[in-house]
Amino acid sequence: MRNKAKALGALFIIPALLASGCGNSGDSGQAQGGQASGSPGSSASATASSAPAEPVEIKLWVPWTTEGPMKAFNQIIEAFNQKYESENISATVEFTPDFQQKLTTSFAGNAGPDLFIHGVGAMPGFADVGQLEDLSARVETLSDKDDYLSSYLKLASFDGKVYGLPVAADYNVLIYRKDFFEEAGAKVPTTWKEFEEAAAKLVRKDGNKITRLAMDIPVGSGNRFILQQHYGFFLQNNGGDFLTGDYANSALNTAQAKETLEWFSSLYENDYVTVEGAGTPQGAQAVAAGTAAMQVGSLFQLMEIKLNQPEMLDKIGVAVPPAGPNGEGKAPVFFTGPQVVMINKASAHKEAAWKLADFLAAKDSLTLLAEQLGSIPLRSSMGTEAYDSVPVLKEYLSLGEQGTMVTNPLTPKWVAVRDVLVKYLEETVYKHNPENTIVKADEEINKLLAQ
Amino acid sequence: MNAKAPGGLWKRQRRKQTAVAYFLISPTLLIFLIFTLAPVVFALYMSFTNYNILSHKDWIGLDNYRRLASDDDFANAVRVTLQYTLEVVPLNLAISLGLALLINMKIRGLAFFRSAYYMPVVTSMIAVSMVWLWLYDPTYGLFNKLLSSIGLPEQTWLKDPGLALHAMVLLKVWKGVGANMVIFLAGLQGIPKELYEAASLDGASSLRKLWSVTIPLLRPTTFFVIIMTTIGTMQSFGEVYAMTGGGPIGSTTNLVYLIYTRAFERMEMGYASAIATVLFALILLLTVINMTLVRGKADEAA
């Protein structure tokens, strides 16, 4: 009986002793981070930190699930783990499909990652509910901060605070087939009028069936936000926008927005663009497949063509968005949607998470990501050598210097606003009734913003 | 002779049997309570709040339900759900009964057909939707090739607001007939052969036998098939998500898809819960109507 009591006592006491012997596993024991060089494999470390008592493991979630990006992130994480091995910090990366839903439900269940990468448009929604760590002070300690493009750093701000670090970015331009334009004797459009003139010459039909569109704008499942991006492509180069500057009201009931929607609808009425498309194979780029003479796209689309149909690159050209009547003579406006790394405010390892964010924003990591995700160089030191050998990519980079970059409105209600906008844009392109839909869209968006 | 045991002993035995019965069903009951009933009750509670998954959960009373009353998207989703159900259920019923009648014949090789008709039931709706997306492709799809081969005009199918829902009905029926066919088959095999023999002796034709013997005696089975198919169809999601995303112009947005977009795209979990509660009430109402219309006759037949 006594032996049994002793054994039972040991069962309780030993684990208790072990637990009390373990120190605080948080970050309080760590020296300040963020000053270390971000280069993978670099031996230089500006931090004089002591290793924490407990190993720290941080999780990074990213939305990509294709081979190239996965390989790039795995390489970066491996380099990070090597660099911070002596500090007992390690990271893992998870590639998560259905990203938005899984991220949201994981936060709700207090099981979210320490960091995640998402489009900048999602940032306000998470920041507004207190899910994101304010990085305004930490950003000042970013490694080689002066090397980082400050214009992009500013884009990841909401309500005056910085909540993310862009790790990949590109912007929308007009992509076109040079040989189709030459064959049709059409001029690359710089205005809406020139666009219509070119479109009329570029469309090809086989009987009643359109075999080549002037422009391909995919409509349907999985592509709904693309319609909004295309409308924005023309709207923002006609002096208009979706919301007012303070994001408090819809800006769709302005002359510029109405004019743009009417013109946009006319493209469908004239069969320059159709809702059915011209049979672009899924996953292919319309201009490379030859099913359209023009498309709106970014560096990502050009890199896809380079990867899948490199023989077409010489036939592809890029141009600034054509200007509407209210945009002529002004600098072009380019839509950009940077992918930013954000830190979860509920993370128990914010210092370690910042180290990883800093590492992701370092030159070597950004170079690797640029190759796989299709990104402009976000650091001056990255140079453009990777793109200079391909004329269309070099030309793409030079276009961006000619205008200003805008993102989607950084308001927590943007996703809902975009939903409403897409609903009425779809109605417009199917029913050709822009005068009705713009009023209804404006009313519904204002109602949503007032909630 | 009095077969009953003395009263006290009988009552004790009965209590013991009841306790054993509850003990045996307790695992299932527990799972039902935790994973079905509790979430339903919680969803009902959430429908009276402004819960947005990440932070708010303030009681707002009937505000969500008031919002539903003036929400055009909700009204559209109700219409789409009812239309979809009213198209799928009768088609499914008729085709699955027809297949069951054919499969019930004693002909060689029918085991193959029985398996072939049942195969779609066991495939994933998402996988099937991906394949049917290609079948419906306006340029490369098989359906348009078939139409053009017989001189009919090609269609834009899922990109046509007037056709998209009907196109999904075809898929839903194709995928679901196998399951109901098996249920009807079981029902057919429960009909006494003597009744058919008696009908034959009375000079009844095959059609007459079908109308006067088979269909009346299948009423309990038919009642079950109608109820289950209605419930399943009203809760469809996979094909909408994979094939159309609710479009074009909301022509395929049913209530479940609307719940999904409100909950996970707009993060309006409270509002989505209100829609889910209304869907629950709608399914309950249709089930009760079905039961009232069909059950009386089903009970007679049974």
Side-chain angles (χ1 to χ4, degrees):
Chain A
M1 185 68 181
R2 248 188 226 166
N3 287 339
K4 270 190 189 171
K6 278 183 191 170
L8 269 174
L11 269 176
F12 284 107
I13 290 168
I14 290 169
L17 283 173
L18 284 170
S20 67
C22 298
N24 186 352
S25 60
D27 288 333
S28 56
Q30 288 190 353
Q32 290 177 26
Q35 295 297 333
S37 159
S39 304
S42 166
S43 59
S45 171
T47 56
S49 58
S50 54
E54 290 277 323
V56 169
E57 189 180 300
I58 49 175
K59 286 188 205 163
L60 167 70
W61 282 16
V62 302
W64 294 277
T65 51
T66 50
E67 195 189 332
M70 284 170 76
K71 198 170 151 193
F73 277 106
N74 280 330
Q75 257 181 274
I76 293 169
I77 293 299
E78 202 184 315
F80 174 84
N81 289 341
Q82 274 175 13
K83 179 175 175 179
Y84 286 99
E85 194 180 351
S86 59
E87 292 184 41
N88 251 334
I89 298 173
S90 65
T92 55
V93 59
E94 283 181 30
F95 304 98
T96 311
D98 295 325
F99 194 70
Q100 175 71 19
Q101 291 87 325
K102 284 194 178 156
L103 194 64
T104 313
T105 46
S106 75
F107 285 150
N110 216 21
D114 298 280
L115 318 92
F116 61 98
I117 297 179
H118 207 335
V120 75
M123 189 180 68
F126 289 119
D128 194 49
V129 295
Q131 199 67 49
L132 297 182
E133 177 75 358
D134 179 1
L135 301 178
S136 308
R138 292 187 193 273
V139 146
E140 296 307 317
T141 65
L142 184 68
S143 305
D144 299 326
K145 182 170 175 267
D146 293 336
D147 186 40
Y148 197 99
L149 289 186
S150 57
S151 55
Y152 274 90
L153 207 52
K154 284 182 193 146
L155 287 176
S157 302
F158 168 66
D159 217 15
K161 296 177 189 164
V162 178
Y163 285 107
L165 281 182
V167 293
D170 58 8
Y171 45 86
N172 282 348
V173 298
L174 186 72
I175 302 177
Y176 65 94
R177 278 287 290 268
K178 293 193 282 196
D179 53 330
F180 290 167
F181 272 77
E182 277 165 29
E183 169 206 47
K187 179 178 175 276
V188 178
T190 57
T191 65
W192 288 2
K193 190 160 183 296
E194 288 174 3
F195 185 96
E196 287 174 83
E197 285 165 1
K201 293 178 183 174
L202 289 161
V203 170
R204 290 287 177 271
K205 291 185 183 182
D206 179 10
N208 280 335
K209 200 172 168 182
I210 296 178
T211 52
R212 189 174 79 199
L213 293 165
M215 177 176 266
D216 187 38
I217 302 180
V219 174
S221 170
N223 292 321
R224 298 182 73 234
F225 69 93
I226 291 181
L227 197 58
Q228 166 261 318
Q229 279 188 1
H230 281 71
Y231 173 64
F233 182 78
F234 294 111
L235 172 66
Q236 285 158 346
N237 284 283
N238 191 36
D241 211 334
F242 300 113
L243 301 180
T244 52
D246 57 359
Y247 306 142
N249 292 98
S250 158
L252 294 179
N253 208 5
T254 56
Q256 295 94 324
K258 286 180 185 172
E259 183 179 41
T260 308
L261 193 61
E262 280 166 13
W263 183 79
F264 194 65
S265 177
S266 74
L267 298 180
Y268 287 85
E269 289 171 58
N270 293 320
D271 281 347
Y272 300 149
V273 185
T274 63
V275 295
E276 304 86 41
T280 308
Q282 210 167 14
Q285 300 305 320
V287 292
T291 50
M294 296 180 276
Q295 70 179 81
V296 172
S298 64
L299 187 57
F300 178 78
Q301 277 74 27
L302 293 171
M303 297 295 273
E304 286 279 290
I305 296 172
K306 181 171 177 259
L307 183 70
N308 299 315
Q309 288 178 276
E311 71 281 3
M312 298 304 298
L313 276 177
D314 286 339
K315 299 182 183 176
I316 305 287
V318 289
V320 297
N326 289 293
E328 286 180 39
K330 296 179 186 161
V333 175
F334 300 100
F335 167 75
T336 180
Q339 297 290 327
V340 302
V341 60
M342 294 171 263
I343 296 178
N344 182 0
K345 195 167 183 174
S347 167
H349 309 297
K350 292 197 194 62
E351 291 295 332
W354 171 250
K355 287 186 160 102
L356 179 54
D358 184 276
F359 193 87
L360 283 164
K363 180 184 168 186
D364 285 1
S365 303
L366 290 180
T367 305
L368 204 51
L369 292 176
E371 282 165 28
Q372 295 302 333
L373 305 179
S375 170
I376 62 166
L378 286 171
R379 286 184 173 271
S380 314
S381 60
M382 280 166 72
T384 58
E385 294 82 25
Y387 304 106
D388 288 346
S389 59
V390 183
V392 68
L393 297 183
K394 189 175 173 183
E395 199 183 343
Y396 174 85
L397 290 181
S398 70
L399 287 183
E401 291 161 16
Q402 297 177 29
T404 51
M405 301 290 164
V406 297
T407 62
N408 281 324
L410 293 182
T411 163
K413 297 191 179 174
W414 169 244
V415 173
V417 167
R418 186 181 63 189
D419 243 8
V420 171
L421 188 54
V422 166
K423 180 172 80 171
Y424 288 109
L425 283 172
E426 268 193 345
E427 190 181 319
T428 304
V429 303
Y430 273 96
K431 295 184 180 175
H432 311 307
N433 57 347
E435 58 291 331
N436 281 347
T437 51
I438 196 103
V439 171
K440 289 193 282 187
D442 184 66
E443 270 172 20
E444 200 170 320
I445 288 172
N446 278 330
K447 211 164 127 187
L448 196 71
L449 291 170
Q451 280 174 4
Chain B
M1 185 175 170
N2 187 357
K4 275 190 187 174
L9 182 62
W10 184 81
K11 274 186 190 164
R12 276 200 301 279
Q13 276 182 341
R14 187 150 168 87
R15 269 203 297 272
K16 197 173 167 188
Q17 281 175 353
T18 307
V20 168
Y22 274 115
F23 175 74
L24 289 172
I25 67 168
S26 61
T28 309
L29 199 58
L30 209 58
I31 290 170
F32 173 76
L33 285 171
I34 295 171
F35 293 107
T36 305
L37 193 61
V40 168
V41 170
F42 187 61
L44 181 62
Y45 161 70
M46 275 203 292
S47 72
F48 296 104
T49 70
N50 60 357
Y51 184 44
N52 72 352
I53 300 179
L54 293 174
S55 66
H56 307 294
K57 206 189 290 180
D58 307 318
W59 184 267
I60 57 170
L62 294 174
D63 280 0
N64 284 330
Y65 293 96
R66 279 190 207 105
R67 190 177 150 194
L68 278 180
S70 58
D71 186 348
D72 290 340
D73 292 339
F74 171 71
N76 177 67
V78 170
R79 182 194 60 75
V80 168
T81 304
L82 290 175
Q83 183 181 345
Y84 192 55
T85 308
L86 286 172
E87 288 184 31
V88 167
V89 172
L91 264 178
N92 188 314
L93 198 68
I95 295 173
S96 57
L97 177 58
L99 288 176
L101 288 168
L102 289 169
I103 298 286
N104 200 32
M105 297 180 186
K106 299 287 180 276
I107 300 174
R108 282 177 70 180
L110 276 175
F112 166 77
F113 285 102
R114 193 164 51 231
S115 307
Y117 292 135
Y118 196 72
M119 288 282 271
V121 177
V122 299
T123 48
S124 143
M125 178 50 100
I126 297 291
V128 158
S129 299
M130 290 291 116
V131 172
W132 278 66
L133 258 179
W134 276 107
L135 292 175
Y136 280 130
D137 187 276
T139 309
Y140 304 108
L142 187 61
F143 290 149
N144 270 351
K145 298 288 181 223
L146 286 171
L147 284 177
S148 59
S149 69
I150 56 173
L152 289 173
E154 294 181 354
Q155 303 298 322
T156 52
W157 300 111
L158 299 172
K159 294 191 196 269
D160 183 338
L163 265 186
L165 191 66
H166 305 306
M168 280 171 40
V169 165
L170 281 181
L171 159 63
K172 188 75 172 175
V173 168
W174 172 83
K175 192 170 181 324
V177 286
N180 290 337
M181 176 196 76
V182 166
I183 296 169
F184 273 127
L185 203 55
L188 285 171
Q189 289 173 355
I191 298 174
K193 290 188 181 27
E194 297 76 34
L195 294 175
Y196 289 111
E197 288 167 5
S200 296
L201 286 172
D202 287 342
S205 66
S206 301
L207 265 176
R208 184 76 196 175
K209 281 187 230 174
L210 174 70
W211 187 253
S212 302
V213 178
T214 310
I215 289 176
L217 289 174
L218 270 184
R219 275 202 186 107
T221 312
T222 308
F223 163 67
F224 175 78
V225 165
I226 291 176
I227 299 289
M228 297 310 292
T229 309
T230 301
I231 293 172
T233 308
M234 291 187 76
Q235 294 177 332
S236 297
F237 173 74
E239 62 271 34
V240 179
Y241 178 80
M243 294 177 83
T244 61
I249 344 176
S251 60
T252 58
T253 300
N254 63 354
L255 282 168
V256 178
Y257 191 76
L258 188 69
I259 291 166
Y260 164 78
T261 57
R262 292 300 179 266
F264 294 105
E265 289 182 3
R266 295 201 195 180
M267 294 204 266
E268 292 174 340
M269 197 60 103
Y271 187 58
S273 299
I275 302 174
T277 306
V278 171
L279 175 62
F280 170 77
L282 202 56
I283 293 176
L284 192 61
L285 178 68
L286 283 179
T287 307
V288 165
I289 291 172
N290 262 323
M291 282 171 69
T292 312
L293 286 177
V294 181
R295 195 183 196 177
K297 294 181 181 172
D299 285 343
E300 282 171 30

